[in-house]
Amino acid sequence: MRVGTYCCVALLMMAPQFVPAQQAAAPASPLPTGPPVSEEDKANQLSEQVGKLMVKCVNLLTAQDPLSLDYCKQQRDLADQYPPHMRLVDKMMAHDEYGIALAAFDHKEEALEEFNREVALVPKAVKPGSPEWSTAYWHRAMIYTQMGAVDKADRDYRAAEDNFRKPSPAADAGTVDKKRRAILRQHAALLQKEGKTEAAHQLLQEAAK
């Protein structure tokens, strides 16, 4: 499971920069032809290619390179070819990373579509209390904030926070707590901007625990 990169580039959504592209993204390699394969074999074949595209996507996002749009889209397109009931977390990640790339280069409406598709997968793909559950709502809250949809952003921040208040199956408690604090502080900043100082103060107090 490639969850380590799941939100490492999320803050790119907050401060996009444009860098001239150096080369065109190479198209993803087609799956091998031959006799029909099982769903498990197909998923395994796709997984290797999705993983390679994910690394390229994340590296380009970290460098704030516009080529990330091409590679992250290829990752999303290949992940969508998984059998419907398989590799759902990989599908979530692919929608998430393509959404981040779109948001980073000011394609807000398209980014929102990707985050909507990610959130729709949440109850099928991950357990309540998992950091991936909160991440999906967190990233959609961030794009809603950028779009000025304050009420929707507030709702998604609350969904992310409520999930973190449940028992977590995650092993890396330090990373989970860091993410929880970031969500609380961003939500507090949104509320503070809206003049809801008491609610913002309560969230900051929770973040400090």
Side-chain angles (χ1 to χ4, degrees):
M1 195 75 70
R2 296 180 294 273
V3 298
T5 60
Y6 197 33
C7 69
C8 66
V9 291
L11 294 182
L12 290 173
M13 296 168 61
M14 309 302 291
Q17 295 183 15
F18 297 87
V19 181
Q22 299 298 319
Q23 59 183 10
S29 302
L31 290 175
T33 58
V37 298
S38 68
E39 287 190 338
E40 183 65 33
D41 287 341
K42 179 181 178 180
N44 289 337
Q45 291 171 7
L46 285 168
S47 180
E48 182 178 355
Q49 294 186 54
V50 170
K52 291 177 180 177
L53 287 168
M54 181 203 70
V55 171
K56 191 70 174 178
C57 162
V58 171
N59 287 342
L60 289 167
L61 273 174
T62 303
Q64 299 184 0
D65 190 324
L67 275 177
S68 60
L69 289 165
D70 295 323
Y71 283 97
C72 294
K73 183 178 186 299
Q74 288 185 53
Q75 178 193 354
R76 189 281 311 269
D77 290 345
L78 268 186
D80 277 348
Q81 294 180 35
Y82 283 127
H85 59 287
M86 301 179 73
R87 303 293 203 281
L88 297 182
V89 174
D90 282 8
K91 291 182 183 180
M92 283 180 59
M93 291 170 61
H95 287 298
D96 188 77
E97 286 158 5
Y98 186 38
I100 291 171
L102 289 163
F105 295 100
D106 207 31
H107 301 287
K108 295 183 178 65
E109 292 290 346
E110 296 95 327
L112 178 59
E113 290 178 12
E114 294 301 315
F115 295 133
N116 283 340
R117 294 175 70 181
E118 178 187 11
V119 168
L121 288 169
V122 163
K124 305 172 188 176
V126 295
K127 296 180 180 180
S130 67
E132 294 85 6
W133 187 301
S134 289
T135 295
Y137 283 96
W138 174 28
H139 289 178
R140 193 171 70 173
M142 292 169 72
I143 198 66
Y144 275 140
T145 300
Q146 287 189 22
M147 298 172 73
V150 175
D151 289 344
K152 291 180 178 179
D154 177 68
R155 179 196 64 198
D156 276 359
Y157 276 124
R158 291 178 187 276
E161 292 157 3
D162 288 344
N163 180 69
F164 269 136
R165 295 182 183 112
K166 299 173 182 178
S168 173
D172 190 350
T175 300
V176 170
D177 193 55
K178 184 177 180 180
K179 185 183 295 185
R180 179 187 68 85
R181 292 170 188 268
I183 292 170
L184 289 165
R185 288 167 180 155
Q186 287 183 17
H187 191 192
L190 176 69
L191 295 177
Q192 186 71 43
K193 187 176 180 180
E194 293 298 305
K196 300 176 181 179
T197 55
E198 183 176 351
H201 181 65
Q202 290 176 349
L203 291 178
L204 290 174
Q205 283 185 317
E206 185 176 351
K209 294 178 181 178

PDB file of all heavy atoms in Angstrom, residues 43-75:
ATOM      1  N   ALA A  43      -5.220  -6.572 -12.073  1.00  0.00           N
ATOM      2  CA  ALA A  43      -4.937  -5.575 -11.033  1.00  0.00           C
ATOM      3  C   ALA A  43      -3.453  -5.512 -10.726  1.00  0.00           C
ATOM      4  O   ALA A  43      -2.885  -4.433 -10.545  1.00  0.00           O
ATOM      5  CB  ALA A  43      -5.728  -5.902  -9.769  1.00  0.00           C
ATOM      6  N   ASN A  44      -2.797  -6.680 -10.676  1.00  0.00           N
ATOM      7  CA  ASN A  44      -1.363  -6.694 -10.398  1.00  0.00           C
ATOM      8  C   ASN A  44      -0.558  -6.035 -11.508  1.00  0.00           C
ATOM      9  O   ASN A  44       0.411  -5.307 -11.249  1.00  0.00           O
ATOM     10  CB  ASN A  44      -0.891  -8.139 -10.202  1.00  0.00           C
ATOM     11  CG  ASN A  44      -1.392  -8.745  -8.905  1.00  0.00           C
ATOM     12  OD1 ASN A  44      -1.716  -8.021  -7.961  1.00  0.00           O
ATOM     13  ND2 ASN A  44      -1.474 -10.070  -8.860  1.00  0.00           N
ATOM     14  N   GLN A  45      -0.933  -6.296 -12.758  1.00  0.00           N
ATOM     15  CA  GLN A  45      -0.252  -5.664 -13.886  1.00  0.00           C
ATOM     16  C   GLN A  45      -0.432  -4.148 -13.861  1.00  0.00           C
ATOM     17  O   GLN A  45       0.518  -3.389 -14.061  1.00  0.00           O
ATOM     18  CB  GLN A  45      -0.781  -6.244 -15.200  1.00  0.00           C
ATOM     19  CG  GLN A  45      -0.403  -7.693 -15.437  1.00  0.00           C
ATOM     20  CD  GLN A  45      -1.120  -8.291 -16.638  1.00  0.00           C
ATOM     21  OE1 GLN A  45      -1.813  -7.584 -17.369  1.00  0.00           O
ATOM     22  NE2 GLN A  45      -0.951  -9.589 -16.849  1.00  0.00           N
ATOM     23  N   LEU A  46      -1.654  -3.715 -13.611  1.00  0.00           N
ATOM     24  CA  LEU A  46      -1.924  -2.281 -13.543  1.00  0.00           C
ATOM     25  C   LEU A  46      -1.195  -1.632 -12.374  1.00  0.00           C
ATOM     26  O   LEU A  46      -0.696  -0.516 -12.482  1.00  0.00           O
ATOM     27  CB  LEU A  46      -3.425  -2.034 -13.409  1.00  0.00           C
ATOM     28  CG  LEU A  46      -4.273  -2.227 -14.659  1.00  0.00           C
ATOM     29  CD1 LEU A  46      -5.746  -2.247 -14.305  1.00  0.00           C
ATOM     30  CD2 LEU A  46      -3.988  -1.123 -15.671  1.00  0.00           C
ATOM     31  N   SER A  47      -1.125  -2.345 -11.254  1.00  0.00           N
ATOM     32  CA  SER A  47      -0.543  -1.769 -10.046  1.00  0.00           C
ATOM     33  C   SER A  47       0.903  -1.348 -10.260  1.00  0.00           C
ATOM     34  O   SER A  47       1.331  -0.289  -9.777  1.00  0.00           O
ATOM     35  CB  SER A  47      -0.632  -2.774  -8.895  1.00  0.00           C
ATOM     36  OG  SER A  47      -0.085  -2.242  -7.709  1.00  0.00           O
ATOM     37  N   GLU A  48       1.652  -2.157 -10.979  1.00  0.00           N
ATOM     38  CA  GLU A  48       3.052  -1.815 -11.226  1.00  0.00           C
ATOM     39  C   GLU A  48       3.171  -0.520 -12.020  1.00  0.00           C
ATOM     40  O   GLU A  48       3.982   0.362 -11.702  1.00  0.00           O
ATOM     41  CB  GLU A  48       3.742  -2.954 -11.967  1.00  0.00           C
ATOM     42  CG  GLU A  48       5.225  -2.708 -12.219  1.00  0.00           C
ATOM     43  CD  GLU A  48       5.899  -3.874 -12.911  1.00  0.00           C
ATOM     44  OE1 GLU A  48       5.246  -4.923 -13.111  1.00  0.00           O
ATOM     45  OE2 GLU A  48       7.092  -3.731 -13.251  1.00  0.00           O
ATOM     46  N   GLN A  49       2.339  -0.377 -13.051  1.00  0.00           N
ATOM     47  CA  GLN A  49       2.383   0.829 -13.865  1.00  0.00           C
ATOM     48  C   GLN A  49       1.856   2.040 -13.097  1.00  0.00           C
ATOM     49  O   GLN A  49       2.418   3.135 -13.188  1.00  0.00           O
ATOM     50  CB  GLN A  49       1.554   0.628 -15.135  1.00  0.00           C
ATOM     51  CG  GLN A  49       2.116  -0.427 -16.070  1.00  0.00           C
ATOM     52  CD  GLN A  49       1.347  -0.494 -17.373  1.00  0.00           C
ATOM     53  OE1 GLN A  49       1.181   0.510 -18.049  1.00  0.00           O
ATOM     54  NE2 GLN A  49       0.864  -1.678 -17.715  1.00  0.00           N
ATOM     55  N   VAL A  50       0.782   1.843 -12.340  1.00  0.00           N
ATOM     56  CA  VAL A  50       0.230   2.937 -11.538  1.00  0.00           C
ATOM     57  C   VAL A  50       1.272   3.431 -10.542  1.00  0.00           C
ATOM     58  O   VAL A  50       1.428   4.640 -10.321  1.00  0.00           O
ATOM     59  CB  VAL A  50      -1.057   2.485 -10.810  1.00  0.00           C
ATOM     60  CG1 VAL A  50      -1.494   3.523  -9.779  1.00  0.00           C
ATOM     61  CG2 VAL A  50      -2.180   2.269 -11.818  1.00  0.00           C
ATOM     62  N   GLY A  51       2.006   2.497  -9.941  1.00  0.00           N
ATOM     63  CA  GLY A  51       3.027   2.881  -8.973  1.00  0.00           C
ATOM     64  C   GLY A  51       4.126   3.721  -9.590  1.00  0.00           C
ATOM     65  O   GLY A  51       4.574   4.715  -9.002  1.00  0.00           O
ATOM     66  N   LYS A  52       4.574   3.349 -10.788  1.00  0.00           N
ATOM     67  CA  LYS A  52       5.619   4.131 -11.458  1.00  0.00           C
ATOM     68  C   LYS A  52       5.119   5.533 -11.801  1.00  0.00           C
ATOM     69  O   LYS A  52       5.847   6.526 -11.643  1.00  0.00           O
ATOM     70  CB  LYS A  52       6.068   3.401 -12.722  1.00  0.00           C
ATOM     71  CG  LYS A  52       6.840   2.114 -12.455  1.00  0.00           C
ATOM     72  CD  LYS A  52       7.200   1.410 -13.752  1.00  0.00           C
ATOM     73  CE  LYS A  52       7.970   0.118 -13.484  1.00  0.00           C
ATOM     74  NZ  LYS A  52       8.274  -0.616 -14.736  1.00  0.00           N
ATOM     75  N   LEU A  53       3.884   5.619 -12.281  1.00  0.00           N
ATOM     76  CA  LEU A  53       3.320   6.927 -12.614  1.00  0.00           C
ATOM     77  C   LEU A  53       3.116   7.774 -11.357  1.00  0.00           C
ATOM     78  O   LEU A  53       3.292   8.993 -11.383  1.00  0.00           O
ATOM     79  CB  LEU A  53       1.997   6.756 -13.359  1.00  0.00           C
ATOM     80  CG  LEU A  53       2.122   6.274 -14.802  1.00  0.00           C
ATOM     81  CD1 LEU A  53       0.766   5.855 -15.348  1.00  0.00           C
ATOM     82  CD2 LEU A  53       2.732   7.369 -15.685  1.00  0.00           C
ATOM     83  N   MET A  54       2.754   7.108 -10.248  1.00  0.00           N
ATOM     84  CA  MET A  54       2.568   7.834  -9.001  1.00  0.00           C
ATOM     85  C   MET A  54       3.865   8.506  -8.556  1.00  0.00           C
ATOM     86  O   MET A  54       3.864   9.670  -8.151  1.00  0.00           O
ATOM     87  CB  MET A  54       2.082   6.894  -7.899  1.00  0.00           C
ATOM     88  CG  MET A  54       1.853   7.591  -6.565  1.00  0.00           C
ATOM     89  SD  MET A  54       1.933   6.456  -5.168  1.00  0.00           S
ATOM     90  CE  MET A  54       3.679   6.070  -5.148  1.00  0.00           C
ATOM     91  N   VAL A  55       4.984   7.772  -8.650  1.00  0.00           N
ATOM     92  CA  VAL A  55       6.275   8.341  -8.257  1.00  0.00           C
ATOM     93  C   VAL A  55       6.602   9.560  -9.117  1.00  0.00           C
ATOM     94  O   VAL A  55       7.021  10.607  -8.609  1.00  0.00           O
ATOM     95  CB  VAL A  55       7.387   7.276  -8.371  1.00  0.00           C
ATOM     96  CG1 VAL A  55       8.757   7.911  -8.172  1.00  0.00           C
ATOM     97  CG2 VAL A  55       7.163   6.166  -7.345  1.00  0.00           C
ATOM     98  N   LYS A  56       6.385   9.430 -10.419  1.00  0.00           N
ATOM     99  CA  LYS A  56       6.652  10.556 -11.318  1.00  0.00           C
ATOM    100  C   LYS A  56       5.719  11.719 -11.020  1.00  0.00           C
ATOM    101  O   LYS A  56       6.146  12.882 -10.972  1.00  0.00           O
ATOM    102  CB  LYS A  56       6.488  10.089 -12.766  1.00  0.00           C
ATOM    103  CG  LYS A  56       6.982  11.089 -13.798  1.00  0.00           C
ATOM    104  CD  LYS A  56       8.495  11.201 -13.784  1.00  0.00           C
ATOM    105  CE  LYS A  56       9.003  12.085 -14.895  1.00  0.00           C
ATOM    106  NZ  LYS A  56      10.472  12.247 -14.871  1.00  0.00           N
ATOM    107  N   CYS A  57       4.445  11.418 -10.821  1.00  0.00           N
ATOM    108  CA  CYS A  57       3.445  12.444 -10.498  1.00  0.00           C
ATOM    109  C   CYS A  57       3.842  13.222  -9.250  1.00  0.00           C
ATOM    110  O   CYS A  57       3.866  14.456  -9.241  1.00  0.00           O
ATOM    111  CB  CYS A  57       2.087  11.771 -10.320  1.00  0.00           C
ATOM    112  SG  CYS A  57       0.834  12.728  -9.427  1.00  0.00           S
ATOM    113  N   VAL A  58       4.178  12.500  -8.188  1.00  0.00           N
ATOM    114  CA  VAL A  58       4.508  13.153  -6.919  1.00  0.00           C
ATOM    115  C   VAL A  58       5.798  13.955  -7.024  1.00  0.00           C
ATOM    116  O   VAL A  58       5.894  15.083  -6.515  1.00  0.00           O
ATOM    117  CB  VAL A  58       4.594  12.113  -5.785  1.00  0.00           C
ATOM    118  CG1 VAL A  58       5.159  12.739  -4.508  1.00  0.00           C
ATOM    119  CG2 VAL A  58       3.214  11.523  -5.502  1.00  0.00           C
ATOM    120  N   ASN A  59       6.797  13.406  -7.704  1.00  0.00           N
ATOM    121  CA  ASN A  59       8.057  14.135  -7.862  1.00  0.00           C
ATOM    122  C   ASN A  59       7.858  15.440  -8.622  1.00  0.00           C
ATOM    123  O   ASN A  59       8.425  16.481  -8.266  1.00  0.00           O
ATOM    124  CB  ASN A  59       9.091  13.263  -8.564  1.00  0.00           C
ATOM    125  CG  ASN A  59       9.629  12.151  -7.682  1.00  0.00           C
ATOM    126  OD1 ASN A  59       9.505  12.211  -6.459  1.00  0.00           O
ATOM    127  ND2 ASN A  59      10.216  11.141  -8.288  1.00  0.00           N
ATOM    128  N   LEU A  60       7.059  15.397  -9.679  1.00  0.00           N
ATOM    129  CA  LEU A  60       6.799  16.606 -10.464  1.00  0.00           C
ATOM    130  C   LEU A  60       5.949  17.602  -9.682  1.00  0.00           C
ATOM    131  O   LEU A  60       6.151  18.821  -9.780  1.00  0.00           O
ATOM    132  CB  LEU A  60       6.117  16.241 -11.786  1.00  0.00           C
ATOM    133  CG  LEU A  60       7.024  15.539 -12.802  1.00  0.00           C
ATOM    134  CD1 LEU A  60       6.199  14.927 -13.931  1.00  0.00           C
ATOM    135  CD2 LEU A  60       8.054  16.515 -13.365  1.00  0.00           C
ATOM    136  N   LEU A  61       5.009  17.103  -8.893  1.00  0.00           N
ATOM    137  CA  LEU A  61       4.222  17.988  -8.033  1.00  0.00           C
ATOM    138  C   LEU A  61       5.117  18.685  -7.017  1.00  0.00           C
ATOM    139  O   LEU A  61       4.984  19.888  -6.766  1.00  0.00           O
ATOM    140  CB  LEU A  61       3.135  17.203  -7.296  1.00  0.00           C
ATOM    141  CG  LEU A  61       1.806  17.010  -8.026  1.00  0.00           C
ATOM    142  CD1 LEU A  61       0.909  16.089  -7.224  1.00  0.00           C
ATOM    143  CD2 LEU A  61       1.118  18.343  -8.257  1.00  0.00           C
ATOM    144  N   THR A  62       6.020  17.925  -6.424  1.00  0.00           N
ATOM    145  CA  THR A  62       6.930  18.505  -5.444  1.00  0.00           C
ATOM    146  C   THR A  62       7.795  19.592  -6.075  1.00  0.00           C
ATOM    147  O   THR A  62       8.099  20.609  -5.443  1.00  0.00           O
ATOM    148  CB  THR A  62       7.826  17.403  -4.841  1.00  0.00           C
ATOM    149  OG1 THR A  62       6.993  16.389  -4.265  1.00  0.00           O
ATOM    150  CG2 THR A  62       8.730  17.969  -3.759  1.00  0.00           C
ATOM    151  N   ALA A  63       8.173  19.398  -7.337  1.00  0.00           N
ATOM    152  CA  ALA A  63       8.959  20.390  -8.068  1.00  0.00           C
ATOM    153  C   ALA A  63       8.087  21.501  -8.653  1.00  0.00           C
ATOM    154  O   ALA A  63       8.605  22.428  -9.277  1.00  0.00           O
ATOM    155  CB  ALA A  63       9.730  19.717  -9.193  1.00  0.00           C
ATOM    156  N   GLN A  64       6.774  21.401  -8.483  1.00  0.00           N
ATOM    157  CA  GLN A  64       5.805  22.363  -9.018  1.00  0.00           C
ATOM    158  C   GLN A  64       5.946  22.511 -10.535  1.00  0.00           C
ATOM    159  O   GLN A  64       5.907  23.612 -11.093  1.00  0.00           O
ATOM    160  CB  GLN A  64       5.931  23.708  -8.297  1.00  0.00           C
ATOM    161  CG  GLN A  64       5.661  23.591  -6.803  1.00  0.00           C
ATOM    162  CD  GLN A  64       5.677  24.915  -6.077  1.00  0.00           C
ATOM    163  OE1 GLN A  64       5.885  25.961  -6.681  1.00  0.00           O
ATOM    164  NE2 GLN A  64       5.445  24.887  -4.782  1.00  0.00           N
ATOM    165  N   ASP A  65       6.113  21.374 -11.182  1.00  0.00           N
ATOM    166  CA  ASP A  65       6.275  21.313 -12.633  1.00  0.00           C
ATOM    167  C   ASP A  65       4.913  21.042 -13.277  1.00  0.00           C
ATOM    168  O   ASP A  65       4.224  20.090 -12.885  1.00  0.00           O
ATOM    169  CB  ASP A  65       7.258  20.190 -12.973  1.00  0.00           C
ATOM    170  CG  ASP A  65       7.692  20.190 -14.424  1.00  0.00           C
ATOM    171  OD1 ASP A  65       6.859  20.515 -15.294  1.00  0.00           O
ATOM    172  OD2 ASP A  65       8.860  19.852 -14.689  1.00  0.00           O
ATOM    173  N   PRO A  66       4.513  21.811 -14.293  1.00  0.00           N
ATOM    174  CA  PRO A  66       3.227  21.574 -14.948  1.00  0.00           C
ATOM    175  C   PRO A  66       3.093  20.188 -15.577  1.00  0.00           C
ATOM    176  O   PRO A  66       1.974  19.733 -15.811  1.00  0.00           O
ATOM    177  CB  PRO A  66       3.168  22.667 -16.028  1.00  0.00           C
ATOM    178  CG  PRO A  66       4.070  23.740 -15.539  1.00  0.00           C
ATOM    179  CD  PRO A  66       5.175  23.045 -14.790  1.00  0.00           C
ATOM    180  N   LEU A  67       4.217  19.534 -15.849  1.00  0.00           N
ATOM    181  CA  LEU A  67       4.138  18.166 -16.372  1.00  0.00           C
ATOM    182  C   LEU A  67       3.431  17.222 -15.402  1.00  0.00           C
ATOM    183  O   LEU A  67       2.985  16.142 -15.799  1.00  0.00           O
ATOM    184  CB  LEU A  67       5.538  17.631 -16.665  1.00  0.00           C
ATOM    185  CG  LEU A  67       6.142  17.975 -18.032  1.00  0.00           C
ATOM    186  CD1 LEU A  67       7.550  17.437 -18.131  1.00  0.00           C
ATOM    187  CD2 LEU A  67       5.279  17.424 -19.155  1.00  0.00           C
ATOM    188  N   SER A  68       3.333  17.607 -14.146  1.00  0.00           N
ATOM    189  CA  SER A  68       2.615  16.779 -13.178  1.00  0.00           C
ATOM    190  C   SER A  68       1.173  16.541 -13.624  1.00  0.00           C
ATOM    191  O   SER A  68       0.604  15.475 -13.353  1.00  0.00           O
ATOM    192  CB  SER A  68       2.624  17.433 -11.799  1.00  0.00           C
ATOM    193  OG  SER A  68       2.011  18.713 -11.836  1.00  0.00           O
ATOM    194  N   LEU A  69       0.583  17.502 -14.315  1.00  0.00           N
ATOM    195  CA  LEU A  69      -0.793  17.327 -14.797  1.00  0.00           C
ATOM    196  C   LEU A  69      -0.893  16.109 -15.715  1.00  0.00           C
ATOM    197  O   LEU A  69      -1.851  15.330 -15.624  1.00  0.00           O
ATOM    198  CB  LEU A  69      -1.260  18.583 -15.530  1.00  0.00           C
ATOM    199  CG  LEU A  69      -1.523  19.814 -14.658  1.00  0.00           C
ATOM    200  CD1 LEU A  69      -1.627  21.067 -15.518  1.00  0.00           C
ATOM    201  CD2 LEU A  69      -2.802  19.617 -13.839  1.00  0.00           C
ATOM    202  N   ASP A  70       0.075  15.941 -16.605  1.00  0.00           N
ATOM    203  CA  ASP A  70       0.040  14.820 -17.535  1.00  0.00           C
ATOM    204  C   ASP A  70       0.247  13.485 -16.825  1.00  0.00           C
ATOM    205  O   ASP A  70      -0.499  12.524 -17.044  1.00  0.00           O
ATOM    206  CB  ASP A  70       1.124  14.995 -18.609  1.00  0.00           C
ATOM    207  CG  ASP A  70       0.864  16.203 -19.499  1.00  0.00           C
ATOM    208  OD1 ASP A  70      -0.312  16.461 -19.805  1.00  0.00           O
ATOM    209  OD2 ASP A  70       1.823  16.885 -19.867  1.00  0.00           O
ATOM    210  N   TYR A  71       1.274  13.422 -15.985  1.00  0.00           N
ATOM    211  CA  TYR A  71       1.577  12.161 -15.321  1.00  0.00           C
ATOM    212  C   TYR A  71       0.513  11.781 -14.287  1.00  0.00           C
ATOM    213  O   TYR A  71       0.166  10.603 -14.146  1.00  0.00           O
ATOM    214  CB  TYR A  71       2.962  12.212 -14.682  1.00  0.00           C
ATOM    215  CG  TYR A  71       4.072  12.043 -15.682  1.00  0.00           C
ATOM    216  CD1 TYR A  71       4.732  13.146 -16.219  1.00  0.00           C
ATOM    217  CD2 TYR A  71       4.460  10.777 -16.117  1.00  0.00           C
ATOM    218  CE1 TYR A  71       5.749  12.990 -17.152  1.00  0.00           C
ATOM    219  CE2 TYR A  71       5.474  10.607 -17.044  1.00  0.00           C
ATOM    220  CZ  TYR A  71       6.117  11.716 -17.566  1.00  0.00           C
ATOM    221  OH  TYR A  71       7.120  11.555 -18.494  1.00  0.00           O
ATOM    222  N   CYS A  72       0.014  12.754 -13.553  1.00  0.00           N
ATOM    223  CA  CYS A  72      -1.023  12.450 -12.561  1.00  0.00           C
ATOM    224  C   CYS A  72      -2.320  12.020 -13.245  1.00  0.00           C
ATOM    225  O   CYS A  72      -3.047  11.163 -12.728  1.00  0.00           O
ATOM    226  CB  CYS A  72      -1.279  13.658 -11.659  1.00  0.00           C
ATOM    227  SG  CYS A  72       0.130  14.102 -10.614  1.00  0.00           S
ATOM    228  N   LYS A  73      -2.611  12.598 -14.414  1.00  0.00           N
ATOM    229  CA  LYS A  73      -3.796  12.174 -15.158  1.00  0.00           C
ATOM    230  C   LYS A  73      -3.625  10.744 -15.657  1.00  0.00           C
ATOM    231  O   LYS A  73      -4.572   9.938 -15.606  1.00  0.00           O
ATOM    232  CB  LYS A  73      -4.077  13.105 -16.329  1.00  0.00           C
ATOM    233  CG  LYS A  73      -5.352  12.751 -17.103  1.00  0.00           C
ATOM    234  CD  LYS A  73      -5.612  13.720 -18.219  1.00  0.00           C
ATOM    235  CE  LYS A  73      -6.966  13.419 -18.878  1.00  0.00           C
ATOM    236  NZ  LYS A  73      -7.027  12.060 -19.478  1.00  0.00           N
ATOM    237  N   GLN A  74      -2.435  10.408 -16.162  1.00  0.00           N
ATOM    238  CA  GLN A  74      -2.189   9.028 -16.593  1.00  0.00           C
ATOM    239  C   GLN A  74      -2.352   8.057 -15.429  1.00  0.00           C
ATOM    240  O   GLN A  74      -2.919   6.965 -15.570  1.00  0.00           O
ATOM    241  CB  GLN A  74      -0.787   8.908 -17.178  1.00  0.00           C
ATOM    242  CG  GLN A  74      -0.624   9.572 -18.542  1.00  0.00           C
ATOM    243  CD  GLN A  74       0.758   9.316 -19.120  1.00  0.00           C
ATOM    244  OE1 GLN A  74       1.188   8.166 -19.210  1.00  0.00           O
ATOM    245  NE2 GLN A  74       1.454  10.369 -19.498  1.00  0.00           N
ATOM    246  N   GLN A  75      -1.846   8.444 -14.272  1.00  0.00           N
ATOM    247  CA  GLN A  75      -2.006   7.610 -13.078  1.00  0.00           C
ATOM    248  C   GLN A  75      -3.490   7.405 -12.774  1.00  0.00           C
ATOM    249  O   GLN A  75      -3.932   6.270 -12.517  1.00  0.00           O
ATOM    250  CB  GLN A  75      -1.321   8.264 -11.878  1.00  0.00           C
ATOM    251  CG  GLN A  75      -1.489   7.490 -10.572  1.00  0.00           C
ATOM    252  CD  GLN A  75      -1.067   8.313  -9.356  1.00  0.00           C
ATOM    253  OE1 GLN A  75      -0.554   9.418  -9.496  1.00  0.00           O
ATOM    254  NE2 GLN A  75      -1.296   7.776  -8.186  1.00  0.00           N
TER     255      GLN A  75
END
